[in-house]
Amino acid sequence: MFRKILIANRGEIALRVLEACKELGIATVAIYSEADRDTLPVRFADESVCIGPPRSTDSYLKMPQVISAAKITRADAIHPGYGFLSENAGFAELCAASQIHFIGPSPAALRLMGEKDKARLAMAAAGLPIVPGSQGIVPDEASALAEAARIGYPVLIKASAGGGGRGMREVFQREELPAAFDTARSEAQQAFGCPDVYLEKFLQRPRHIEFQALGDRYGKVMHLGERECSIQRRHQKLVEESPSPALDDQKRAQLGKRVVAALQKIGYSSAGTVEFLMDEDGAIYFMEVNARIQVEHPVTEMVTGVDLIKSQIRLAAGEPLHEVVGKVVSRGHAIECRINAEDPETFAPAPGKITAFQIPGGPGIRVDTAAYPGAQIPPYYDSLVAKLIAHGGSREEAMARMRRALDMFVLEGIKTSLPLHRKILADSDFAAGRLNTHFLDRFASLAAG
Ligand code: MV4
């Protein structure tokens, strides 16, 4: 097992990794930017190293600083959390070259999953259903027109280096394609430094369903069921739950089996998520692989009882899957609300000082946060302040627990998404599990108070 882990992240996920390390008896190193000096990960870590100015490009994203901090403190592994360097194949390689274990998939798997057109074809070859689309990247306008005619409109142009919704363009008819193709390519170049794009049939009102998987270094993979993440806006998820109201046991077992086989085939290790879209007819298609631990991992932990962060660490240290995770029995239902520091009207980030902070408790409630009364939410990073997770024996019980926990969550001094969450949990479509990626469109105008 590792002796000391450097946590290359901040906020709630840094604290969550720190908790896992403490339980495993592993020493911790927190790295922090100048804006994060007075934070809980720094307070609770065994050692801490300031790695630069507030902006993440000057601190949490600076690979040489992160590696140096690990070397100076003699950490033998780095946990990257989510975001920042977590899916950076070059960083994983740099860790290996520096004799530091990267707690995540291999550089090769990270690289393959990062090229979305290649990941798509690899997963199709490994037996997952993919959205009808182009064979790899579409090099020019003429082939884009030909491919779109073959696929049938509407089509979606996606950046090969994309993900998370960046660099996408919807095209409803032939006439729009040339301009959209050019724009998509230049946006992709701008955002990712690579203009490559590919085409898919555009599914207009899909659900987002994702499978949680764990793999060891010896080729064994298992899945831990799925999460429904359809409630999102501008590609930021707001509410996630497990299991999905759209899957039954048979569908789950059937798809889960194929997820496991596909990840085994590409040699995937560590924690990973396989994202799917489900169209209005219930057909399911592979979308992408998130090669990291995700923000919403707690809903799976609540339902399965498996500590995903501890599992990630033990798998990275070389323990076999059957020793890390026994037989998994899923129980009940869990829902997560992401509480962001944001204006409920405009959804613009709303940093500031938290003046009052009191988290709810009681049966079935978990709060993952690094916030505290008097904490400053800096403007430099994402606006997640707390994750409120409710678990119950049934979806109804999880919802009832979530509603009372939202009512008893005191968070003052900054604007947050708490009022929006209270409205979502009071919505009849939500209660009925009638969800798709347009669910929040109805709420945009009534988001306030
Ligand atoms: C799609 C799609 C419809 N059809 N692909 C958004 C994030 C990126 N990973 C892929 N995304 C989508 N891909 C096809 N062929 C719709 C989306 C999409 C979406 C997906 C999941 C959750 C929310 C979303 C919001 C807008 C668009």
Side-chain angles (χ1 to χ4, degrees), residues 12-13 20 71 80 105 113 152-153 188 238 297 353 360 389 391-392 398 415 422 425 449:
E12 67 88 17
I13 193 64
K71 280 291 164 202
M113 295 304 113
Y153 291 91
L238 266 179
H297 76 274
K353 188 185 165 127
I389 305 109
H391 181 235
K415 292 177 181 170
R422 293 182 184 121
L425 266 290

Side-chain angles (χ1 to χ4, degrees), residues 16 208-214 222-229 237 239-244 252 271-274 292-309 311 325 327-337 366 368 387-392:
R16 174 71 190 85
H208 173 133
I209 295 172
E210 57 183 35
F211 272 75
Q212 177 67 55
L214 284 175
M222 71 187 296
H223 79 85
L224 294 104
E226 80 288 356
R227 298 181 285 261
E228 162 104 35
C229 309
K237 294 164 187 165
V239 180
E240 305 99 343
E241 63 181 294
S242 183
S244 164
R252 175 173 308 111
T273 300
V274 184
R292 58 168 189 276
I293 194 72
Q294 286 190 284
V295 177
E296 60 270 28
H297 76 274
V299 293
T300 300
E301 293 186 325
M302 298 299 270
V303 167
T304 62
V306 173
D307 184 322
L308 289 169
I309 310 286
S311 301
V325 184
K327 196 177 146 50
V328 172
V329 185
S330 292
R331 218 197 102 253
H333 201 99
I335 305 172
E336 171 179 279
C337 289
R366 163 176 169 183
D368 280 18
K387 305 188 301 203
L388 173 58
I389 305 109
H391 181 235

Side-chain angles (χ1 to χ4, degrees), residues 52-73:
R55 277 188 310 194
S56 40
T57 45
D58 299 328
S59 50
Y60 298 104
L61 289 170
K62 274 246 184 287
M63 297 191 232
Q65 257 97 316
V66 178
I67 297 285
S68 302
K71 280 291 164 202
I72 289 164
T73 55

Side-chain angles (χ1 to χ4, degrees), residues 116 120 131-132 154-156 158 162-166 168 170 198-209 229-237 275-277 285-288 290 436-438:
K116 305 300 169 185
R120 177 182 134 80
V131 189
V155 297
L156 192 58
K158 292 185 168 183
R166 296 209 292 160
M168 298 198 313
E170 301 159 11
Y198 63 104
L199 292 190
E200 277 183 2
K201 180 91 185 172
F202 177 46
L203 311 178
Q204 299 193 48
R205 304 183 77 78
R207 283 174 176 260
H208 173 133
I209 295 172
C229 309
S230 296
I231 302 184
Q232 57 78 46
R233 46 174 310 288
R234 295 191 207 146
H235 304 292
Q236 290 282 71
K237 294 164 187 165
E275 296 187 341
F276 293 91
L277 295 178
Y285 305 100
F286 167 79
M287 186 166 52
E288 54 189 70
N290 294 138
N436 64 47
T437 54
H438 293 277

